[in-house]
Amino acid sequence: FLNRIAYLASMLEHVQAFDERLFLFLNQFHSPTLDPVMLLITRTEFWIPLFAYLLYLIFKVHGKSGWFALAGITITIILADQITSGLMKPYFERLRPSHEPTLEGIVHLVDGYRGGLYGFASGHAANTFGVALFVFLLLRRSFRFAWIIFLWAGVMSYSRIYLGVHYPGDVVVGMSIGLGFGFASFRVYQEAKNAWLRKRAQANRE
């Protein structure tokens, strides 16, 4: 039993070491031109026009039942954010690369932006990929290029590595959590929408 614990601990160290090396490799690709762009991209408010357009598409395609979709997206964000930022970050207490003393002077930072103290797992990745999957499942039959929403989630998540505030592992785990909640919320949305439609149809017959 103790040998297994030691083996798992050793594997975890190897994974963390690889994660750090991969981060340093990806973080080195920066330029003065991209720095302010990435700082904008990582901010949620920068994407408000996109969110407004998505809301327009949702209500255009689904009408009044779009409110169920909006509730599903909201639930996805709340769950993904609470699990990553409310539970995992304070539990695992993994320092962001921007706060890691051993990486001081090595990590490329932009305008002194460091984020909070802990970074595992990425709330940005969880939220964006959760929303992306929900929106994709919602609009894929109406729009051939609905998959493009995943590019938004990918760029948003990559910006966290570029800015030096997340390891790739933080992003991958956050992405997985977001996809899981996005799918689960969509299934709940479908059940709620179908129940509402059945109730409305029954009321019309009466």
Side-chain angles (χ1 to χ4, degrees):
F1 177 76
L2 292 178
N3 288 336
R4 289 184 178 180
I5 295 296
Y7 174 76
L8 290 174
S10 176
M11 287 295 295
L12 181 59
E13 289 179 2
H14 284 299
V15 170
Q16 291 180 335
F18 173 78
D19 197 20
E20 184 177 302
R21 290 195 300 271
L22 181 58
F23 162 77
L24 291 173
F25 172 76
L26 295 173
N27 181 251
Q28 70 176 324
F29 297 107
H30 54 81
S31 71
T33 303
L34 272 179
D35 284 358
V37 174
M38 286 296 179
L39 201 56
L40 277 175
I41 284 175
T42 204
R43 300 186 185 281
T44 303
E45 57 269 24
F46 175 77
W47 298 98
I48 288 177
L50 173 64
F51 302 150
Y53 181 63
L54 289 176
L55 283 176
Y56 164 74
L57 292 180
I58 289 170
F59 282 98
K60 179 181 178 181
V61 173
H62 295 278
K64 292 182 179 180
S65 64
W67 289 108
F68 288 98
L70 186 58
I73 291 172
T74 302
I75 291 171
T76 300
I77 294 173
I78 291 174
L79 291 175
D81 188 67
Q82 286 301 308
I83 290 297
T84 55
S85 299
L87 179 63
M88 296 180 70
K89 287 179 182 177
Y91 178 79
F92 291 103
E93 296 185 341
R94 187 189 190 190
L95 294 175
R96 295 177 187 267
S98 55
H99 290 285
E100 175 56 55
T102 60
L103 298 179
E104 187 71 32
I106 303 175
V107 178
H108 173 69
L109 302 175
V110 179
D111 289 346
Y113 175 68
R114 291 177 176 267
L117 187 60
Y118 304 124
F120 183 80
S122 170
H124 276 72
N127 294 336
T128 54
F129 273 97
V131 171
L133 181 58
F134 193 105
V135 170
F136 169 74
L137 294 174
L138 190 67
L139 299 178
R140 59 179 173 168
R141 294 183 180 179
S142 302
F143 300 96
R144 288 180 53 193
F145 300 104
W147 56 268
I148 290 178
I149 191 67
F150 288 108
L151 295 181
W152 161 69
V155 170
M156 189 77 155
S157 298
Y158 171 73
S159 73
R160 309 303 289 167
I161 299 173
Y162 182 99
L163 295 172
V165 295
H166 276 300
Y167 294 101
D170 301 340
V171 171
V172 171
V173 173
M175 176 186 70
S176 302
I177 291 171
L179 291 174
F181 280 127
F183 181 77
S185 296
F186 183 77
R187 294 300 299 270
V188 172
Y189 150 77
Q190 285 183 310
E191 293 297 327
K193 175 185 174 182
N194 291 336
W196 176 71
L197 290 175
R198 287 194 298 268
K199 185 175 181 180
R200 191 173 69 169
Q202 182 179 359
N204 290 336
R205 287 195 298 270
E206 293 174 354

